[in-house]
Amino acid sequence: MSGHPYEVLAAQRFLPVLRNADADEAVRATTALLAAGCRAVELTTSTPGWAGAVARTAGLADAHGRPALIGVGTVTTAAQARAALDAGAAFLVSPYPAPEVREVAARREAVFVEGGFTPAEIAAAVRASGAAKVFPAHVGGPGFVRSLRAVLPDAVLIPTGGIRPDEVPDWIAAGATAVGIGSGLPSDPDALAAVFTRSRPARPAGPGRGGPGDRGRTGPCSAAPEPRP
């Protein structure tokens, strides 16, 4: 069972992006997501005290006992990148091209999903790390991701911005590896688990969509852990 963020996101299909009023709220929301079966969660630097929230959740596990992967989004400066990694972040995400964050990530050998909107920005991010955050995704819609997939067949593409939870299958079908969701997630535990279940994609596997080899994995956050080789 791989713990690399790209493979986890490819299996999970759904990346919750949390923007909370304070660190305590972020910790509660993250804990609820992990209990629902999610393994990868993105906190953001827009949350006051975000670094403390990362430190408090980085050592947690999901409902299946797998180590949580707590990422940090809206990372746009070298100082934020260093603080996130020092707090235990498993990956970094920026909303747009951020060369200084890329430099820190390269120096620390950290996973960095750089944001972009134009094909050139997205291709540059993929060239640097194999992945890109497509933002704001709602402007181009699933058709834009489908066009990107045609020219970046092996890329990890994570559209984010203005996407509702019930729209996730459409984006996965268009070629997204995973979809970032910043709002619309229910607070009720059973309803939360149901959202992840509905995110199952209904389209053939392909390069860049399900991790190395894809291995037919199409399960949601609540999927059972893979057997160990």
Side-chain angles (χ1 to χ4, degrees):
M1 177 176 64
S2 173
H4 191 284
Y6 293 171
E7 291 199 350
V8 171
L9 289 172
Q12 182 167 297
R13 304 297 192 190
F14 198 117
L15 176 61
V17 180
L18 304 183
R19 300 183 185 280
N20 302 105
D22 55 42
D24 288 341
E25 184 178 293
V27 171
R28 287 193 296 271
T30 301
T31 301
L33 286 162
L34 295 173
C38 248
R39 186 179 178 189
V41 179
E42 179 185 327
L43 306 187
T44 56
T45 63
S46 58
T47 297
W50 61 270
V54 174
R56 291 163 61 185
T57 55
L60 299 179
D62 72 359
H64 305 297
R66 302 170 296 188
L69 296 181
I70 306 301
V72 178
T74 321
V75 177
T76 59
T77 68
Q80 290 174 336
R82 289 191 294 268
L85 295 174
D86 289 346
F91 59 94
L92 307 174
V93 184
S94 72
Y96 48 75
E100 59 184 284
V101 176
R102 192 187 314 146
E103 184 178 326
V104 172
R107 189 164 58 249
R108 300 276 293 265
E109 298 185 336
V111 173
F112 175 39
V113 181
E114 191 167 15
F117 180 68
T118 69
E121 290 174 344
I122 293 166
V126 170
R127 190 161 49 247
S129 68
K133 171 180 177 173
V134 182
F135 179 83
H138 70 92
V139 177
F144 182 51
V145 169
R146 186 174 292 108
S147 295
L148 291 171
R149 175 59 66 200
V151 296
L152 298 168
D154 299 320
V156 172
L157 299 176
I158 306 175
T160 306
I163 302 174
R164 299 192 308 269
D166 62 350
E167 296 174 328
V168 169
D170 295 336
W171 290 84
I172 296 297
T177 306
V179 180
I181 299 294
S183 61
L185 293 173
S187 57
D188 177 77
D190 292 336
L192 191 60
V195 166
F196 297 142
T197 300
R198 289 197 299 271
S199 72
R200 290 178 187 272
R203 53 107 182 98
R209 293 173 179 173
D214 208 328
R215 292 196 292 274
R217 287 181 290 172
T218 58
C221 292
S222 55
E226 301 171 41
R228 294 182 182 277

